[in-house]
Amino acid sequence: MEDVDKALKIAIDNEMKSYSLYNDASRKIEEKAIKEALIFLSKQELGHIENIKKFNKEYLKKKFSYKIPKHDRKIKSLFGKVVSNKDIILTKELERVYKLALEIEVIGYDYYKKIMEETMNENLRKFFKFLMEEENNHYIFLSGTYDFLKNPS
């Protein structure tokens, strides 16, 4: 396995790419429900970066705690807002954002899975499993809303 510092630096870079995509897109997209979802996702990515930095300082300790976001209700609410709004049009820009976002979430998930499987450090395994779950939640939300926007009927 790569050394922990390098793995965490790559993780931060991945999360920054996601944050930048969601933050930039939220400024360009005018549809309120989509904008709200992008802002939410960008904040999630900042939370991941904060957790990664905290983990980097404390990963050798026996006890490491990180903030597990309670966002299931928020994601369901945002999903509902998108799918209940029949007026949202999947523009070329919005489609580009969705495709790129889905790709970035998969890249992050695959990287975190690789590190989780390769490390013998139990704290690192648990932490990267948490990050995998977060990426998976984002992917499910994005793919569900994207599929709806492609076929709203």
Side-chain angles (χ1 to χ4, degrees), residues 119-132:
T119 188
M120 301 305 272
N121 181 308
E122 190 58 30
N123 282 340
L124 193 61
R125 288 179 61 80
K126 288 178 184 175
F127 185 65
F128 275 94
K129 184 175 188 320
F130 157 74
L131 289 174
M132 283 172 54

Side-chain angles (χ1 to χ4, degrees), residues 43-134:
K43 289 178 181 177
Q44 289 272 298
E45 302 303 342
L46 288 178
H48 297 168
I49 292 166
E50 186 178 303
N51 277 325
I52 293 166
K53 288 178 179 178
K54 182 179 178 190
F55 183 85
N56 193 31
K57 292 178 184 173
E58 301 178 4
Y59 74 90
L60 293 176
K61 295 179 181 177
K62 291 280 186 206
K63 298 275 186 188
F64 171 75
S65 63
Y66 45 88
K67 294 179 185 173
I68 299 176
K70 296 182 180 179
H71 52 62
D72 285 350
R73 273 193 239 141
K74 181 68 174 175
I75 285 179
K76 287 177 185 173
S77 170
L78 290 170
F79 185 82
K81 285 180 182 180
V82 172
V83 300
S84 67
N85 188 339
K86 305 292 185 197
D87 296 329
I88 299 174
I89 298 170
L90 185 62
T91 63
K92 288 187 187 284
E93 174 62 14
L94 185 54
E95 186 166 24
R96 182 192 72 76
V97 168
Y98 266 101
K99 287 179 178 179
L100 191 52
L102 288 165
E103 182 181 322
I104 285 173
E105 297 296 344
V106 168
I107 288 169
Y109 179 92
D110 289 346
Y111 180 72
Y112 300 149
K113 182 177 181 187
K114 175 181 178 283
I115 297 302
M116 187 194 78
E117 291 173 346
E118 291 177 357
T119 188
M120 301 305 272
N121 181 308
E122 190 58 30
N123 282 340
L124 193 61
R125 288 179 61 80
K126 288 178 184 175
F127 185 65
F128 275 94
K129 184 175 188 320
F130 157 74
L131 289 174
M132 283 172 54
E133 291 166 357
E134 288 293 288

